[in-house]
PDB file of all heavy atoms in Angstrom:
ATOM      1  N   ASP V1131       0.762 -20.180 -14.599  1.00 96.00           N
ATOM      2  CA  ASP V1131       0.096 -20.955 -15.762  1.00 96.00           C
ATOM      3  C   ASP V1131      -1.409 -20.711 -15.738  1.00 96.00           C
ATOM      4  O   ASP V1131      -1.916 -20.401 -14.669  1.00 96.00           O
ATOM      5  CB  ASP V1131       0.477 -22.336 -15.577  1.00 96.00           C
ATOM      6  CG  ASP V1131       2.000 -22.593 -15.834  1.00 96.00           C
ATOM      7  OD1 ASP V1131       2.400 -22.403 -17.004  1.00 96.00           O
ATOM      8  OD2 ASP V1131       2.653 -23.156 -14.996  1.00 96.00           O
ATOM      9  N   CYS V1132      -2.011 -21.028 -16.873  1.00 92.00           N
ATOM     10  CA  CYS V1132      -3.417 -20.783 -17.046  1.00 92.00           C
ATOM     11  C   CYS V1132      -4.145 -21.556 -15.899  1.00 92.00           C
ATOM     12  O   CYS V1132      -4.112 -22.735 -15.773  1.00 92.00           O
ATOM     13  CB  CYS V1132      -3.929 -21.271 -18.419  1.00 92.00           C
ATOM     14  SG  CYS V1132      -5.645 -20.728 -18.734  1.00 92.00           S
ATOM     15  N   ARG V1133      -5.075 -20.848 -15.191  1.00 91.00           N
ATOM     16  CA  ARG V1133      -5.998 -21.363 -14.199  1.00 91.00           C
ATOM     17  C   ARG V1133      -5.131 -22.057 -12.978  1.00 91.00           C
ATOM     18  O   ARG V1133      -5.782 -22.913 -12.360  1.00 91.00           O
ATOM     19  CB  ARG V1133      -6.909 -22.300 -14.826  1.00 91.00           C
ATOM     20  CG  ARG V1133      -7.922 -21.702 -15.845  1.00 91.00           C
ATOM     21  CD  ARG V1133      -8.840 -22.569 -16.302  1.00 91.00           C
ATOM     22  NE  ARG V1133      -9.779 -23.145 -15.385  1.00 91.00           N
ATOM     23  CZ  ARG V1133     -10.899 -22.512 -14.935  1.00 91.00           C
ATOM     24  NH1 ARG V1133     -11.193 -21.280 -15.506  1.00 91.00           N
ATOM     25  NH2 ARG V1133     -11.671 -22.934 -14.016  1.00 91.00           N
ATOM     26  N   LYS V1134      -3.795 -21.652 -12.786  1.00 95.00           N
ATOM     27  CA  LYS V1134      -3.098 -22.204 -11.716  1.00 95.00           C
ATOM     28  C   LYS V1134      -2.647 -21.010 -10.767  1.00 95.00           C
ATOM     29  O   LYS V1134      -2.774 -19.884 -11.130  1.00 95.00           O
ATOM     30  CB  LYS V1134      -1.861 -22.922 -12.207  1.00 95.00           C
ATOM     31  CG  LYS V1134      -2.249 -24.155 -13.110  1.00 95.00           C
ATOM     32  CD  LYS V1134      -2.761 -25.306 -12.254  1.00 95.00           C
ATOM     33  CE  LYS V1134      -2.900 -26.522 -13.083  1.00 95.00           C
ATOM     34  NZ  LYS V1134      -3.479 -27.600 -12.352  1.00 95.00           N
ATOM     35  N   GLU V1135      -1.957 -21.375  -9.673  1.00 96.00           N
ATOM     36  CA  GLU V1135      -1.573 -20.455  -8.760  1.00 96.00           C
ATOM     37  C   GLU V1135      -0.177 -19.899  -9.257  1.00 96.00           C
ATOM     38  O   GLU V1135       0.538 -20.551  -9.880  1.00 96.00           O
ATOM     39  CB  GLU V1135      -1.382 -21.027  -7.270  1.00 96.00           C
ATOM     40  CG  GLU V1135      -0.134 -21.930  -7.117  1.00 96.00           C
ATOM     41  CD  GLU V1135      -0.507 -23.304  -7.533  1.00 96.00           C
ATOM     42  OE1 GLU V1135      -1.351 -23.541  -8.375  1.00 96.00           O
ATOM     43  OE2 GLU V1135       0.217 -24.227  -7.021  1.00 96.00           O
ATOM     44  N   PRO V1136       0.083 -18.617  -8.886  1.00 97.00           N
ATOM     45  CA  PRO V1136       1.403 -18.077  -9.294  1.00 97.00           C
ATOM     46  C   PRO V1136       2.527 -18.800  -8.404  1.00 97.00           C
ATOM     47  O   PRO V1136       2.239 -19.168  -7.313  1.00 97.00           O
ATOM     48  CB  PRO V1136       1.385 -16.644  -8.786  1.00 97.00           C
ATOM     49  CG  PRO V1136      -0.121 -16.408  -8.509  1.00 97.00           C
ATOM     50  CD  PRO V1136      -0.733 -17.558  -8.266  1.00 97.00           C
ATOM     51  N   LYS V1137       3.596 -18.980  -9.148  1.00 97.00           N
ATOM     52  CA  LYS V1137       4.795 -19.634  -8.417  1.00 97.00           C
ATOM     53  C   LYS V1137       6.043 -18.816  -8.668  1.00 97.00           C
ATOM     54  O   LYS V1137       6.240 -18.204  -9.613  1.00 97.00           O
ATOM     55  CB  LYS V1137       4.954 -20.974  -9.046  1.00 97.00           C
ATOM     56  CG  LYS V1137       3.861 -22.062  -8.773  1.00 97.00           C
ATOM     57  CD  LYS V1137       4.196 -23.349  -9.355  1.00 97.00           C
ATOM     58  CE  LYS V1137       3.088 -24.357  -8.981  1.00 97.00           C
ATOM     59  NZ  LYS V1137       3.269 -25.715  -9.520  1.00 97.00           N
ATOM     60  N   LEU V1138       6.795 -18.715  -7.530  1.00 97.00           N
ATOM     61  CA  LEU V1138       8.053 -17.889  -7.568  1.00 97.00           C
ATOM     62  C   LEU V1138       8.892 -18.429  -8.691  1.00 97.00           C
ATOM     63  O   LEU V1138       9.343 -19.529  -8.627  1.00 97.00           O
ATOM     64  CB  LEU V1138       8.685 -17.898  -6.168  1.00 97.00           C
ATOM     65  CG  LEU V1138       9.990 -17.200  -6.178  1.00 97.00           C
ATOM     66  CD1 LEU V1138       9.803 -15.650  -6.241  1.00 97.00           C
ATOM     67  CD2 LEU V1138      10.718 -17.507  -4.771  1.00 97.00           C
ATOM     68  N   LEU V1139       9.379 -17.501  -9.507  1.00 97.00           N
ATOM     69  CA  LEU V1139      10.332 -17.819 -10.456  1.00 97.00           C
ATOM     70  C   LEU V1139      11.703 -17.422 -10.016  1.00 97.00           C
ATOM     71  O   LEU V1139      12.618 -18.254 -10.007  1.00 97.00           O
ATOM     72  CB  LEU V1139       9.968 -17.037 -11.890  1.00 97.00           C
ATOM     73  CG  LEU V1139      10.964 -17.292 -12.956  1.00 97.00           C
ATOM     74  CD1 LEU V1139      10.970 -18.767 -13.465  1.00 97.00           C
ATOM     75  CD2 LEU V1139      10.600 -16.281 -14.152  1.00 97.00           C
ATOM     76  N   MET V1140      11.816 -16.271  -9.622  1.00 96.00           N
ATOM     77  CA  MET V1140      13.061 -15.813  -9.083  1.00 96.00           C
ATOM     78  C   MET V1140      12.934 -14.457  -8.397  1.00 96.00           C
ATOM     79  O   MET V1140      12.121 -13.761  -8.760  1.00 96.00           O
ATOM     80  CB  MET V1140      14.269 -15.822 -10.156  1.00 96.00           C
ATOM     81  CG  MET V1140      13.893 -14.856 -11.311  1.00 96.00           C
ATOM     82  SD  MET V1140      14.985 -15.250 -12.795  1.00 96.00           S
ATOM     83  CE  MET V1140      16.605 -14.993 -12.095  1.00 96.00           C
ATOM     84  N   SER V1141      13.753 -14.263  -7.343  1.00 95.00           N
ATOM     85  CA  SER V1141      14.019 -12.987  -6.728  1.00 95.00           C
ATOM     86  C   SER V1141      14.893 -12.097  -7.668  1.00 95.00           C
ATOM     87  O   SER V1141      15.650 -12.705  -8.422  1.00 95.00           O
ATOM     88  CB  SER V1141      14.571 -13.010  -5.339  1.00 95.00           C
ATOM     89  OG  SER V1141      13.759 -13.890  -4.544  1.00 95.00           O
ATOM     90  N   VAL V1142      14.881 -10.832  -7.508  1.00 95.00           N
ATOM     91  CA  VAL V1142      15.630  -9.933  -8.355  1.00 95.00           C
ATOM     92  C   VAL V1142      16.590  -9.239  -7.339  1.00 95.00           C
ATOM     93  O   VAL V1142      16.063  -8.477  -6.429  1.00 95.00           O
ATOM     94  CB  VAL V1142      14.795  -8.908  -9.108  1.00 95.00           C
ATOM     95  CG1 VAL V1142      15.733  -8.147 -10.023  1.00 95.00           C
ATOM     96  CG2 VAL V1142      13.732  -9.571  -9.914  1.00 95.00           C
ATOM     97  N   TYR V1143      17.891  -9.305  -7.536  1.00 90.00           N
ATOM     98  CA  TYR V1143      18.794  -8.792  -6.752  1.00 90.00           C
ATOM     99  C   TYR V1143      19.452  -7.569  -7.415  1.00 90.00           C
ATOM    100  O   TYR V1143      19.415  -7.391  -8.528  1.00 90.00           O
ATOM    101  CB  TYR V1143      19.985  -9.764  -6.291  1.00 90.00           C
ATOM    102  CG  TYR V1143      19.391 -11.076  -5.651  1.00 90.00           C
ATOM    103  CD1 TYR V1143      19.619 -12.302  -6.170  1.00 90.00           C
ATOM    104  CD2 TYR V1143      18.605 -10.953  -4.479  1.00 90.00           C
ATOM    105  CE1 TYR V1143      19.210 -13.375  -5.567  1.00 90.00           C
ATOM    106  CE2 TYR V1143      18.056 -12.012  -3.890  1.00 90.00           C
ATOM    107  CZ  TYR V1143      18.333 -13.275  -4.435  1.00 90.00           C
ATOM    108  OH  TYR V1143      17.789 -14.445  -3.846  1.00 90.00           O
ATOM    109  N   SER V1144      19.993  -6.630  -6.576  1.00 89.00           N
ATOM    110  CA  SER V1144      20.504  -5.353  -7.047  1.00 89.00           C
ATOM    111  C   SER V1144      21.489  -5.505  -8.036  1.00 89.00           C
ATOM    112  O   SER V1144      21.524  -4.826  -9.039  1.00 89.00           O
ATOM    113  CB  SER V1144      21.091  -4.598  -5.805  1.00 89.00           C
ATOM    114  OG  SER V1144      20.109  -4.313  -4.862  1.00 89.00           O
ATOM    115  N   SER V1145      22.319  -6.540  -7.962  1.00 89.00           N
ATOM    116  CA  SER V1145      23.397  -6.719  -8.987  1.00 89.00           C
ATOM    117  C   SER V1145      23.014  -7.579 -10.137  1.00 89.00           C
ATOM    118  O   SER V1145      23.708  -7.887 -11.038  1.00 89.00           O
ATOM    119  CB  SER V1145      24.638  -7.461  -8.246  1.00 89.00           C
ATOM    120  OG  SER V1145      24.111  -8.638  -7.662  1.00 89.00           O
ATOM    121  N   GLY V1146      21.695  -7.963 -10.143  1.00 90.00           N
ATOM    122  CA  GLY V1146      21.169  -8.791 -11.250  1.00 90.00           C
ATOM    123  C   GLY V1146      21.566 -10.265 -10.865  1.00 90.00           C
ATOM    124  O   GLY V1146      22.520 -10.527 -10.134  1.00 90.00           O
ATOM    125  N   ASN V1147      20.726 -11.145 -11.390  1.00 94.00           N
ATOM    126  CA  ASN V1147      21.041 -12.484 -11.113  1.00 94.00           C
ATOM    127  C   ASN V1147      20.396 -13.408 -12.276  1.00 94.00           C
ATOM    128  O   ASN V1147      19.533 -13.097 -12.986  1.00 94.00           O
ATOM    129  CB  ASN V1147      20.368 -12.951  -9.698  1.00 94.00           C
ATOM    130  CG  ASN V1147      18.922 -12.511  -9.528  1.00 94.00           C
ATOM    131  OD1 ASN V1147      18.654 -11.364  -9.534  1.00 94.00           O
ATOM    132  ND2 ASN V1147      18.079 -13.496  -9.357  1.00 94.00           N
ATOM    133  N   GLU V1148      20.992 -14.653 -12.363  1.00 95.00           N
ATOM    134  CA  GLU V1148      20.705 -15.451 -13.375  1.00 95.00           C
ATOM    135  C   GLU V1148      20.262 -16.902 -12.876  1.00 95.00           C
ATOM    136  O   GLU V1148      20.905 -17.350 -11.844  1.00 95.00           O
ATOM    137  CB  GLU V1148      21.983 -15.721 -14.254  1.00 95.00           C
ATOM    138  CG  GLU V1148      21.768 -16.425 -15.550  1.00 95.00           C
ATOM    139  CD  GLU V1148      23.010 -16.374 -16.425  1.00 95.00           C
ATOM    140  OE1 GLU V1148      23.536 -15.140 -16.762  1.00 95.00           O
ATOM    141  OE2 GLU V1148      23.576 -17.335 -16.895  1.00 95.00           O
ATOM    142  N   ASP V1149      19.421 -17.547 -13.529  1.00 95.00           N
ATOM    143  CA  ASP V1149      19.087 -18.887 -13.099  1.00 95.00           C
ATOM    144  C   ASP V1149      18.808 -19.662 -14.331  1.00 95.00           C
ATOM    145  O   ASP V1149      17.751 -19.622 -15.005  1.00 95.00           O
ATOM    146  CB  ASP V1149      17.877 -18.902 -12.152  1.00 95.00           C
ATOM    147  CG  ASP V1149      17.445 -20.256 -11.670  1.00 95.00           C
ATOM    148  OD1 ASP V1149      18.169 -21.240 -12.062  1.00 95.00           O
ATOM    149  OD2 ASP V1149      16.434 -20.367 -10.996  1.00 95.00           O
ATOM    150  N   GLY V1150      19.837 -20.411 -14.847  1.00 97.00           N
ATOM    151  CA  GLY V1150      19.733 -21.179 -16.057  1.00 97.00           C
ATOM    152  C   GLY V1150      19.524 -20.065 -17.259  1.00 97.00           C
ATOM    153  O   GLY V1150      20.310 -19.283 -17.491  1.00 97.00           O
ATOM    154  N   ARG V1151      18.421 -20.282 -17.943  1.00 98.00           N
ATOM    155  CA  ARG V1151      17.971 -19.458 -19.091  1.00 98.00           C
ATOM    156  C   ARG V1151      17.298 -18.096 -18.714  1.00 98.00           C
ATOM    157  O   ARG V1151      17.126 -17.367 -19.610  1.00 98.00           O
ATOM    158  CB  ARG V1151      17.094 -20.203 -19.995  1.00 98.00           C
ATOM    159  CG  ARG V1151      17.630 -21.475 -20.518  1.00 98.00           C
ATOM    160  CD  ARG V1151      16.614 -22.341 -21.451  1.00 98.00           C
ATOM    161  NE  ARG V1151      15.467 -22.793 -20.803  1.00 98.00           N
ATOM    162  CZ  ARG V1151      14.234 -22.178 -20.865  1.00 98.00           C
ATOM    163  NH1 ARG V1151      13.989 -21.150 -21.652  1.00 98.00           N
ATOM    164  NH2 ARG V1151      13.302 -22.792 -20.222  1.00 98.00           N
ATOM    165  N   PHE V1152      17.205 -17.965 -17.512  1.00 98.00           N
ATOM    166  CA  PHE V1152      16.421 -16.707 -16.952  1.00 98.00           C
ATOM    167  C   PHE V1152      17.503 -15.730 -16.270  1.00 98.00           C
ATOM    168  O   PHE V1152      18.220 -16.238 -15.404  1.00 98.00           O
ATOM    169  CB  PHE V1152      15.285 -17.054 -15.973  1.00 98.00           C
ATOM    170  CG  PHE V1152      14.344 -18.032 -16.510  1.00 98.00           C
ATOM    171  CD1 PHE V1152      14.524 -19.394 -16.690  1.00 98.00           C
ATOM    172  CD2 PHE V1152      13.167 -17.498 -16.987  1.00 98.00           C
ATOM    173  CE1 PHE V1152      13.485 -20.163 -17.079  1.00 98.00           C
ATOM    174  CE2 PHE V1152      12.176 -18.303 -17.569  1.00 98.00           C
ATOM    175  CZ  PHE V1152      12.375 -19.667 -17.641  1.00 98.00           C
ATOM    176  N   THR V1153      17.283 -14.463 -16.616  1.00 98.00           N
ATOM    177  CA  THR V1153      18.140 -13.479 -16.130  1.00 98.00           C
ATOM    178  C   THR V1153      17.172 -12.240 -15.680  1.00 98.00           C
ATOM    179  O   THR V1153      16.422 -11.813 -16.355  1.00 98.00           O
ATOM    180  CB  THR V1153      19.209 -12.913 -17.124  1.00 98.00           C
ATOM    181  OG1 THR V1153      19.989 -13.968 -17.514  1.00 98.00           O
ATOM    182  CG2 THR V1153      20.008 -11.787 -16.455  1.00 98.00           C
ATOM    183  N   ALA V1154      17.542 -11.829 -14.459  1.00 97.00           N
ATOM    184  CA  ALA V1154      16.667 -10.714 -13.947  1.00 97.00           C
ATOM    185  C   ALA V1154      17.628  -9.639 -13.584  1.00 97.00           C
ATOM    186  O   ALA V1154      18.686  -9.780 -13.182  1.00 97.00           O
ATOM    187  CB  ALA V1154      15.911 -11.153 -12.590  1.00 97.00           C
ATOM    188  N   GLN V1155      17.149  -8.397 -13.965  1.00 97.00           N
ATOM    189  CA  GLN V1155      17.889  -7.161 -13.684  1.00 97.00           C
ATOM    190  C   GLN V1155      17.066  -6.205 -12.949  1.00 97.00           C
ATOM    191  O   GLN V1155      15.893  -6.156 -13.153  1.00 97.00           O
ATOM    192  CB  GLN V1155      18.422  -6.521 -14.952  1.00 97.00           C
ATOM    193  CG  GLN V1155      19.316  -7.536 -15.686  1.00 97.00           C
ATOM    194  CD  GLN V1155      20.759  -7.354 -15.391  1.00 97.00           C
ATOM    195  OE1 GLN V1155      21.068  -6.623 -14.443  1.00 97.00           O
ATOM    196  NE2 GLN V1155      21.579  -8.082 -16.051  1.00 97.00           N
ATOM    197  N   LEU V1156      17.724  -5.290 -12.176  1.00 97.00           N
ATOM    198  CA  LEU V1156      17.062  -4.310 -11.529  1.00 97.00           C
ATOM    199  C   LEU V1156      17.661  -2.875 -11.915  1.00 97.00           C
ATOM    200  O   LEU V1156      18.984  -2.795 -11.730  1.00 97.00           O
ATOM    201  CB  LEU V1156      17.158  -4.461  -9.927  1.00 97.00           C
ATOM    202  CG  LEU V1156      16.862  -3.199  -9.070  1.00 97.00           C
ATOM    203  CD1 LEU V1156      15.277  -2.871  -9.213  1.00 97.00           C
ATOM    204  CD2 LEU V1156      17.137  -3.560  -7.597  1.00 97.00           C
TER     205      LEU V1156
END
Side-chain angles (χ1 to χ4, degrees):
Chain V
D1131 292 299
C1132 188
R1133 298 183 66 84
K1134 297 288 188 181
E1135 76 275 24
K1137 293 183 179 177
L1138 177 67
L1139 179 65
M1140 58 198 303
S1141 302
V1142 185
Y1143 302 124
S1144 298
S1145 55
N1147 48 300
E1148 189 174 304
D1149 183 2
R1151 298 181 293 108
F1152 298 84
T1153 301
Q1155 297 275 1
L1156 167 64

